[in-house]
Amino acid sequence: MQARNEIKASVQLVLWTLAWALTLALAKFGPELLWDEQQVASWAAVAVNFVAGIGWIVAFTRFLRVLDELQRKIMQDALAVTLGVGWVVGFAYVVADGADLGARDVDVAVLPGLMGVVFMIAFAVGRIRYR
Amino acid sequence: MKNRITDLRAEQGWTQAELAQHAGVSRQTINAIETGKFDPSLPLAFRLAKLFGLKIEEIFLNDQ
């Protein structure tokens, strides 16, 4: 029963993650490639992406709930490290940029990319630590 | 916190995976508890105690 719930929650999380990523790509590239920068279509794409994002958050919360307590601890530790790194690096960049310390213009996509890598490393470390 | 899970599991003839299935957790969780890397929550400790027909304090030993 536990395993079945985990599989169900995992599948839902994967589907919502895909939905969010696809709608994000649609909102990002659609105005230029699909609907010739029409405002209504762009707003609709952003709204759909926002709704998919809420669905993704709910699916992730449900996924955390069905994990057993050690798996949840590993996941929460990894999320804490990821949030910390994102927060610290993000604000360090903002401060450096504000103080004209020669911080280069960075694509905003770098931060979530960095957080994704940090999460995967932290998650793997947690799995190995409690192996 | 020390515990007697490994010995009790061996007495029952269960593998880690079988105990994990009975307790409703993953095999990794049972392994981590047995090796002392992870202390279970109170509800899981109660479930394990019930499975072995013992009291919690007969399974988990406070080593502090």
Side-chain angles (χ1 to χ4, degrees), chain A residues 105-124:
Chain A
D105 283 343
V106 179
D107 190 335
V108 71
V110 168
L111 187 60
L114 171 73
M115 291 173 75
V117 171
V118 169
F119 174 77
M120 283 189 287
I121 292 171
F123 184 73

Side-chain angles (χ1 to χ4, degrees), chain A residues 1-63:
Chain A
M1 191 67 180
Q2 170 81 10
R4 192 182 297 170
N5 287 341
E6 275 185 40
I7 292 169
K8 187 179 170 188
S10 301
V11 168
Q12 285 180 347
L13 178 60
V14 168
L15 291 176
W16 276 108
T17 305
L18 285 173
W20 177 78
L22 289 173
T23 55
L24 182 68
L26 186 70
K28 167 75 176 164
F29 300 111
E32 194 177 331
L33 301 176
L34 295 178
W35 52 79
D36 199 23
E37 316 236 344
Q38 291 178 48
Q39 290 277 302
V40 175
S42 297
W43 274 111
V46 170
V48 169
N49 175 243
F50 187 76
V51 170
I54 291 171
W56 181 79
I57 292 169
V58 171
F60 194 79
T61 306
R62 286 181 179 160
F63 174 72

